[in-house]
Amino acid sequence: MRALMLLVFISLLVVLPSAHWGVPLFGLILLVPASAVIRLSAATRKPLDAAPFNLERDDWRWVLALLAYGSLWLLDVIRSRQWPADTTGWTIPLPLWPLLAAVFLIWLLRYPPGVRVFWVAVCCGALGAGSIAFYERLILGKARASNDLNPIIFGNLSLLLGSLSLLALLWCLRRGHARSLGLALLALLAGLFGIAGSLLSGTRGGWVALPFLLILWFRTSRGLLPAAWRYSAIAALAVVFIVAVWLPSTNVAPRLAEAVTEAQQFQAGDSRGSVGLRLEMWRGGLTLWSEKPWLGWTESGVIQGLHALIDSGEISSRVHRYRQLHSDVIDTGARRGLMGVATLLMLYGVPLWLFWGRLHSGCRAETQLMAGAGLMVCVAYIDFGLSQSMLRDPLGLSGYLGLCLACWASLRGTEARAIKRAAQQPAGRAPTRH
């Protein structure tokens, strides 16, 4: 049941607009209580795959980071008496989501899903996102693909799912079955579709993350592919990306030229376009943060503070319609001060440190790939958060929490099964690297 929930959540994350909250809600109401029944029947399963294991120190570090981030945000809501609101003004209980994620993490770690579920899910999600993007741009003629979501969030998650699908390609090649070539081609197609979905969405901020994700793919593939294959793959992907940039149908080159023009206009004192407005919001957010550095202005105080800066002429009046500052760090600092930024760094840094340690530990191939996937999620969101408040968007926050938890639970399950297999092998026989 855990595997099914992860499969549906990741596969439909950007395909079905309500999946990011509907699937976790379904799991909270039905699947978590049903786990007690599953636990009673666990004795009839294979011991290697079904036996639970105790949470270790690294697992509790993850739980602590989630609790710290959600609790401080919740205290800020209590202090300001206002819940976060989306772009339409609807209030959303986002501070509760990291707390619920901690519950889900403990639940997933008791009987972790296999890695196959994760790789199949990201490939399905990337194929779905890319297919929607092609349909909206080529058939419907839309200027930006979005699936009726925020095109920035849609494009960023499409890019991330596509990059994870390229890691699934490595997993398929390592399987060694006769059908692995077909699965590998499907994973490659999913990777290209996910990246294409990002390009067709016109999301410029996310494109900066692509070189870093390719570097992570190259590092993760060390020891899994011959060096010539690794360099050839990176070169081929770079060529594909460059060609896609210059194709008129993708609208990438005009979007990049537009960003340069808007930055020049901002330097000249004219805050026009998305780049100029972002820079204006960052200036206003940093000004507010500097006035209340420790605890910030609270959820309700930031908007009031921005309006005061607009009235005094310190920032442009064009930013009045925005409810977030288009930067996770600046937005968090302005609302919750250094205390909030510290919990944000924990939310980024704890999984980043844990996954990085696994990548460098000389572990089995499956663990190495899952560590690389977790690093991709963290690095991508750090980059996305530079120009968009991803963690204040319901889809963005649920995507980070869900993908990170899925990577960690699958990785820990792989480690636990490897330990049990090693214990069952005859003495003196070294475990094989799969």
Side-chain angles (χ1 to χ4, degrees):
M1 297 179 71
R2 293 165 174 79
L4 177 61
M5 189 183 77
L6 285 181
L7 177 64
V8 174
F9 174 78
I10 298 175
S11 300
L12 301 181
L13 184 60
V14 294
V15 175
L16 186 65
S18 60
H20 69 278
W21 62 264
V23 176
L25 181 63
F26 174 78
L28 181 66
I29 295 175
L30 296 179
L31 297 187
V32 173
S35 63
V37 178
I38 297 176
R39 191 172 303 173
L40 293 176
S41 62
T44 62
R45 304 179 183 178
K46 295 181 181 179
L48 184 62
D49 297 323
F53 62 93
N54 295 324
L55 273 66
E56 297 181 356
R57 183 179 301 174
D58 287 346
D59 303 318
W60 290 115
R61 288 180 176 131
W62 230 121
V63 172
L64 177 62
L66 292 168
L67 293 177
Y69 185 78
S71 298
L72 184 63
W73 196 353
L74 187 59
L75 289 174
D76 187 61
V77 167
I78 295 173
R79 182 166 63 116
S80 64
R81 299 180 181 179
Q82 179 173 323
W83 289 94
D86 63 10
T87 54
T88 61
W90 287 89
T91 56
I92 302 174
L94 291 181
L96 297 176
W97 291 19
L99 306 180
L100 296 176
V103 176
F104 273 116
L105 178 60
I106 296 173
W107 178 62
L108 286 172
L109 287 172
R110 290 298 292 167
Y111 294 96
V115 297
R116 179 190 298 270
V117 175
F118 179 81
W119 297 126
V120 171
V122 296
C123 289
C124 291
L127 286 170
S131 299
I132 291 171
F134 279 117
Y135 175 74
E136 291 189 345
R137 285 294 306 277
L138 301 181
I139 305 300
L140 300 183
K142 290 186 175 182
R144 299 180 67 180
S146 66
N147 195 25
D148 293 328
L149 302 168
N150 184 325
I152 298 174
I153 308 296
F154 175 83
N156 287 343
L157 288 176
S158 297
L159 175 62
L160 179 55
L161 290 171
S163 302
L164 292 171
S165 297
L166 295 180
L167 283 181
L169 169 65
L170 295 178
W171 180 79
C172 293
L173 294 176
R174 294 290 301 180
R175 297 296 293 169
H177 300 311
R179 60 183 179 180
S180 292
L181 180 59
L183 295 174
L185 292 176
L186 186 62
L188 177 60
L189 182 64
L192 296 177
F193 263 54
I195 295 174
S198 176
L199 295 175
L200 295 175
S201 72
T203 306
R204 294 174 298 203
W207 300 339
V208 180
L210 184 58
F212 297 100
L213 297 180
L214 291 180
I215 291 172
L216 276 176
W217 184 93
F218 185 77
R219 172 59 187 86
T220 306
S221 65
R222 181 185 299 176
L224 305 180
L225 286 179
W229 289 26
R230 296 166 65 216
Y231 285 105
S232 298
I234 290 295
L237 287 172
V239 170
V240 169
F241 180 73
I242 292 173
V243 171
V245 166
W246 292 108
L247 283 176
S249 57
T250 63
N251 201 34
V252 174
R255 289 279 293 166
L256 294 176
E258 185 181 279
V260 174
T261 301
E262 291 171 359
Q264 293 172 344
Q265 290 174 343
F266 176 81
Q267 289 181 338
D270 186 8
S271 301
R272 296 181 181 272
S274 61
V275 173
L277 291 177
R278 273 180 172 82
L279 294 172
E280 197 75 358
M281 283 185 281
W282 295 349
R283 180 166 64 183
L286 291 172
T287 300
L288 295 178
W289 187 4
S290 66
E291 294 177 3
K292 295 184 179 181
W294 292 105
L295 294 177
W297 286 71
T298 74
E299 282 292 324
S300 58
V302 162
I303 302 301
Q304 298 171 3
L306 283 177
H307 287 170
L309 292 177
I310 292 173
D311 294 338
S312 64
E314 294 185 50
I315 60 175
S316 171
S317 61
R318 294 189 179 96
V319 305
H320 77 278
R321 67 180 185 271
Y322 294 98
R323 295 180 176 272
Q324 46 99 349
L325 300 179
H326 282 76
S327 168
D328 275 321
V329 173
I330 296 176
D331 192 282
T332 302
R335 295 178 194 273
R336 301 190 288 281
L338 290 174
M339 294 291 291
V341 172
T343 61
L344 175 63
L345 295 179
M346 287 179 62
L347 192 69
Y348 286 146
V350 169
L352 191 69
W353 174 53
L354 295 177
F355 286 125
W356 183 258
R358 260 65 176 188
L359 188 63
H360 282 266
S361 63
C363 53
R364 298 172 70 251
E366 284 192 346
T367 305
Q368 179 177 329
L369 286 170
M370 290 309 308
L375 282 171
M376 275 192 175
V377 176
C378 297
V379 170
Y381 262 83
I382 291 172
D383 175 85
F384 298 158
L386 295 177
S387 57
Q388 176 72 17
S389 297
M390 291 286 292
L391 301 183
R392 288 191 62 83
D393 183 273
L395 178 56
L397 179 61
S398 62
Y400 179 74
L401 296 176
L403 289 171
C404 267
L405 266 59
C407 289
W408 183 249
S410 300
L411 184 151
R412 293 287 287 118
T414 299
E415 290 181 334
R417 285 186 284 271
I419 292 173
K420 292 177 182 179
R421 288 192 180 97
Q424 292 176 357
Q425 286 183 346
R429 180 179 175 183
T432 56
R433 180 177 172 88
H434 297 290

